[in-house]
Amino acid sequence: MPDHIHILTTLPKTMSLSDYARTIKANSSKWIKMIGKEYELFKWQHGYGAFSVSPSILKQTQQYIKNQATHHHKQSFKEEYEAFLHAYHIEYDRQYLMTE
């Protein structure tokens, strides 16, 4: 997707979530900028979202990620993300949601 990615992974027990996100962002930024000049201005947004997934819905989650382009024809990622936060009663500050 042009405006976000989903990563389904296990988190090493020796690493905090914030360190993991920082490592993914730093390494992928270096990598994409090496691909070509058109990516030299690439940057990640400041935040990230992270959610745990039960092993019982792992296959369903993999299918969602694989078919996310189809999902986002019906609803934008921002709309879907906000609906998810509401459905699971996750508090957030709107001013920090999907900032540029």
Side-chain angles (χ1 to χ4, degrees):
M1 299 304 300
D3 61 350
H4 70 282
I5 64 168
H6 294 264
I7 300 173
L8 182 60
T9 185
T10 56
L11 181 65
K13 293 178 183 178
T14 58
M15 185 178 277
S16 70
L17 177 58
S18 60
D19 285 344
Y20 193 73
R22 183 174 39 255
T23 300
I24 294 285
K25 286 181 170 187
N27 290 335
S28 60
S29 289
K30 289 175 193 171
W31 171 79
I32 200 164
K33 289 174 183 181
M34 289 175 22
I35 291 176
K37 233 175 172 18
E38 66 269 28
Y39 299 109
E40 66 186 15
L41 298 178
F42 173 83
K43 65 178 184 175
W44 288 101
Q45 70 176 29
H46 293 288
Y48 60 89
F51 304 93
S52 60
V53 176
S54 168
S56 66
I57 62 165
L58 193 57
K59 293 284 185 205
Q60 178 183 347
T61 304
Q62 290 169 331
Q63 279 304 112
Y64 168 78
I65 292 170
K66 183 178 177 182
N67 298 314
Q68 65 178 299
T70 303
H71 297 291
H72 296 314
H73 281 297
K74 301 172 193 165
Q75 183 179 44
S76 74
F77 177 64
K78 185 175 181 178
E79 292 167 337
E80 182 182 43
Y81 190 76
E82 211 165 350
F84 181 85
L85 295 173
H86 286 290
Y88 291 95
H89 308 288
I90 299 170
E91 292 184 28
Y92 65 98
D93 189 331
R94 233 178 187 305
Q95 73 179 354
Y96 300 113
L97 186 65
M98 307 287 171
T99 59
E100 296 299 318

